Amino acid sequence: MHTSVRPENDELLMDKNQRKHDPNSPAAIDEAYRMIAGASPDYIVTTDTNGSITFINISPTQTRKVIGTKIIDHVQEKYHDSVNTTINQVLKTGEPGDYLCEGKAPNGKTAKYLTQVSPIKEGDRIIGVTLISTDLTRLSSSIAHTRDNDTQLALRRVIDLVPNMIFTKDADDRFIWVNQAVADAYNTSVANVIGRRHAELHPNRDELSRMQSDDRQVITTAKTRFIREQTFTDRKGRKRILQTTKIPFQPDLDAPRAVLVVSTDITDRKRAEQELTRTNAALRRAHTELENRVIARTKDVVKSGEALRRHKNILESVLDSMSDGVVTANRHGEVIVFNQSVREILGVDLAGAQVKDLALRAGLYHEDGRTPLKPEELAISRAMKGQTVENMSVFARKNEGSEGIWLNVSARPISSTDEENQGAVVIVRDVTQFKVAERKVMEYQEELRSLASQIAQAEQDERRRIASGLHDHIVQMLALAKMQVSAMIANTDEPKTCAQAKEVVQTISEVIEQTRTLAFDLSPPSLFEQGLTATVQELIDQMQDRCGLAIEFQDDGEVRDLPDDLRTLLYQAIRELLINVTKHAKAASISISVGREGDHLRISIRDDGVGFDLAERRNSGGAKGGYGLLNIRERLRQFGGKLEVVRDEERGTVASVTLQYPPSRGT
């Protein structure tokens, strides 16, 4: 974490009121740090060595009630041992630690939290700890709502692209499901891993024994287990360090319990942490030497420096523990505080930077990735004017031709006690992976829609070919056979033979009628010879004969010259909706209207039944032939149209097909 402070001699002459309003004074920097912590989505708490709370990023009213109380008094009793052990270990060794626990989220529901504990140091002496609690419950909420097959397939492809190893195993140590990263680790394919025991794949027996023991514990106790570090040897003999979460998993109520494992390779991060530890040690030694020189120069600087260091050490620990980038600017537009994460995210050093130069210096663009952000459009510039900016989407590209990254930016103004604006703080989060995954899912969905459209059109072509064959060949041959048998009846005097022949004629007549009905159901010839209106009327006549329904049909005659594929699609849509009404709505009458409304074609089907649920029925009836309501809805999108069903249990259902007319495009 970096700060810019001016140690000129004239600071010693500032009176108390001047120090209060100086952005580089202890009071101003303390207020800036508190605003930074307040902007974080995580709970941030500091305590002294006795466990008493000295800082927490909640509202001032709540803060007054909490400051001075014991941290353990705010933790559920069943987690006391885990919390005390972790905090005492950090105070003793000076090394960070973490623990898992449950607590109340801001929405009042129970949430699972991962708390990271870091030491607060003054020189070489530990004076307390910082606790940062992250809500883990939010991380799985979006996946739980992914239900339809298209999205599940796309999500599976996305999961296979992530570097994390993700798999499930049953109680017999057999793999149920794995992603591509697991197969790569064992130098084989996904199909070759599923169904095999872990012992058949993992080369290191000591590691295997530990992993199997952890898996059995999770399955037996039904409790999530977080393993901060564990060694893992792949099939090529490479040693890795993994951070793993193991979660009890049960596909359904009747299935035996299994374990879901998500492992992240932190080998490079561990090396970076070790290097960072060495660098921090050198920085602390240099910092201590500088402090000693300042103390030697003047007694006044010693007193103010001690207070400043105390606040700096606490909030440096907080900022350096955050993965989000943090930048603070004073009211003069000068960057005075920024952490290491923002340097890594933006790829630039902000030391001595001016807010007005940030857009050009960091290569910041609007969400379209083409329009550069103006200095006054930056979130931090708007916050310096008193605005609060939440979740602003920004694209950053340092060099022309580079891929760039997506950022989520939030900013808030920093105000003094007299509400004078002292500057602003901005939180920067790299969301590139989420943006890339979102774009890939959309691309996959579009590919699936196009494929479904092609399949539907191919099926309709095949239906038309079969129907034509039935009508032009099979029916004609049956008619000829009927004529031949009838001629035989006329030329025979044998009563028994004559009676049998008449039965054959009757049977052939029935087969001819059934074949014509089948050909009509597959692809009515009148649809291409006489048009949509005549074919719909034939369909209505058939359904009235079969079901006894009263069906009213109105056509304003304004819809003409439709392409064959669109004409077929509209006919199938009307047929599918009529079938759903007759099967599920319990209706006595139906009204159908086809007409033009401005530059749109609109087909409405209204019934007086109890209605039907499109979500439950969209694949019923004609779905066996490939023309379910879901298929029709996707095909309509190819023409810029839509299918809507409004259900009313008292007044029935109104189903509407709407699309641009003349149609904008076809398949």
Side-chain angles (χ1 to χ4, degrees), residues 359-391:
L360 182 62
R361 193 166 182 173
L364 302 181
Y365 295 80
H366 283 278
E367 192 172 7
D368 60 10
R370 297 185 299 272
T371 308
L373 276 169
K374 299 177 181 178
E376 63 271 16
E377 294 174 329
L378 294 175
I380 194 169
S381 299
R382 292 162 59 186
M384 291 177 64
K385 297 178 181 178
Q387 301 178 32
T388 296
V389 181
E390 298 286 353
N391 300 320

Side-chain angles (χ1 to χ4, degrees), residues 42-57:
D42 301 326
Y43 284 113
I44 301 175
V45 182
T46 62
T47 74
D48 59 22
T49 55
N50 295 321
S52 297
I53 295 175
T54 58
F55 172 82
I56 184 169
N57 63 335

